[in-house]
Each structure stands twice: as C-alpha cells, then as structure tokens.
Amino acid sequence: MAKYFPLFIDISEKTFLVVGAGNIAVRRILKLKEFGCKIIVVAKTIAATIMDQQDDRLILKERAYDSMDVEDVDYVIAATNNKELNEKIVWDCNRAGIMVNDASNYKNCDFYFPGIVTEEEMVIGVTSSGSNHRLARRVASEIRYNIKEVVTRCKKELEEDPNAEKFD
C-alpha cells in the first residue's frame, strides 16, 4: 500500500460536494466548514445537525444524487450507506477528473480525509494511508488530548529564545 503525502492546501475558495448526510458525512461536513470552503450536500434526508449549520457556504439539496452534481466542484466525498451509489459517484468523478473520497472503500479514494487536530494556528493531519482507521483515530485522539500543552510549551520556549529555531 502506498503512503499518502500530507499536502496542506488552502480550501477556502474550493467547493466540496458531499453526497450523503449520515454520521460520517456529518463529521466531514463539520470539519470542512471550519476551513471556510463552500460545501454542497446532496442527500435524500439531511440530519438536523447539518440543517442547523446551513449558511451561504453550506448549500443543502435534499434529494437523490444525480451525475450532474459533480459539475463545477473541486472535490467530492461519497459518504452514502450505499456502496453501489458510492462507486457510481467515484466513476462520475473519475470521468470528470475530480478528486474523490469514497468513505466506504479506501481503494476508491484519490485522497483521504485525515483525523484533524487544530490548536490555535496549528493544524495536524493524521492518516494511516487507509490501512487502519481505528489506529489513526486513536493517534489523533491522543494528539488532541496533548496538543494544548505542547503548543503552550513550544510557544514559551520560542519566546524565551526567539533565535532558537530559524528556518531559511
């Protein structure tokens, strides 16, 4: 299995299509929302958790997926509870040259949605390259538990010796 390179990009001007609105989709949507991108959600039923978050950057379409939904989006997350539908979404994205994540099958993913840990300006992504989601989730949880202390300590050390770590 290939190791995936952690590429951090500005997605504030990107559009994500999330097909599905169950537990996995809700977690993805809420995390993406923190990064300021436009999110279009297409699902037959949309959870109240997401309905409550609707704004000009979160567009909800309570209906079945249509192949035309992948037009004019930058990334797609197929997070339905229907593997055949997720595979159709992947096929549509591959045909259109759009990066896609199939939440039901890591082999169908152009990118992985990592465990994300944020603290102040720090953003940390944790993935097992699709091989062990439970381990990645556990490691991200451990980092979340300790990150505030680590960031505080590092900031204090840098304040005490601002020349300690200079990068070219």
Side-chain angles (χ1 to χ4, degrees):
M1 168 175 276
K3 288 185 179 180
Y4 277 59
F5 180 78
L7 178 66
F8 289 85
I9 60 172
D10 176 6
I11 62 170
S12 62
E13 298 299 319
K14 301 295 183 185
T15 300
F16 278 77
L17 169 66
V18 178
V19 183
N23 293 335
I24 292 171
V26 167
R27 286 196 309 269
R28 303 288 189 267
I29 293 162
L30 294 176
K31 189 52 73 174
L32 285 169
K33 202 161 172 8
E34 293 177 27
F35 290 86
C37 60
K38 180 178 177 183
I39 307 163
I40 300 167
V41 178
V42 173
K44 289 181 182 177
T45 304
I46 298 176
T49 309
I50 298 305
M51 290 284 204
D52 294 343
Q53 298 286 321
Q54 187 171 7
D55 59 21
D56 63 329
R57 305 291 293 165
L58 178 61
I59 294 127
L60 307 178
K61 298 181 177 183
E62 202 164 18
R63 60 168 173 72
Y65 168 78
D66 182 283
S67 294
M68 301 298 284
D69 289 329
V70 302
E71 289 186 5
D72 300 321
V73 301
D74 300 294
Y75 302 95
V76 174
I77 297 174
T80 74
N81 60 0
N82 180 328
K83 288 185 182 207
E84 291 79 25
L85 177 55
N86 287 349
E87 287 178 3
K88 176 176 179 14
I89 295 164
V90 168
W91 190 87
D92 290 341
C93 290
N94 289 336
R95 192 184 83 242
I98 297 168
M99 300 272 290
V100 62
N101 173 283
D102 178 349
S104 67
N105 184 349
Y106 73 92
K107 293 177 183 173
N108 284 341
C109 296
D110 294 318
F111 67 94
Y112 291 124
F113 203 100
I116 299 173
V117 180
T118 56
E119 178 64 30
E120 299 180 27
E121 68 269 27
M122 300 302 303
V123 179
I124 301 164
V126 178
T127 182
S128 63
S129 296
S131 66
N132 191 335
H133 294 295
R134 291 179 62 209
L135 176 61
R137 189 172 28 248
R138 177 72 184 266
V139 169
S141 179
E142 292 280 333
I143 293 170
R144 260 185 221 99
Y145 183 77
N146 294 297
I147 190 65
K148 187 178 281 295
E149 176 186 326
V150 171
V151 169
T152 301
R153 179 178 45 78
C154 289
K155 279 185 160 184
K156 184 177 182 211
E157 289 171 2
L158 289 171
E159 287 171 3
E160 290 170 359
D161 185 3
N163 296 318
E165 294 190 35
K166 289 206 171 183
F167 300 100
D168 294 322

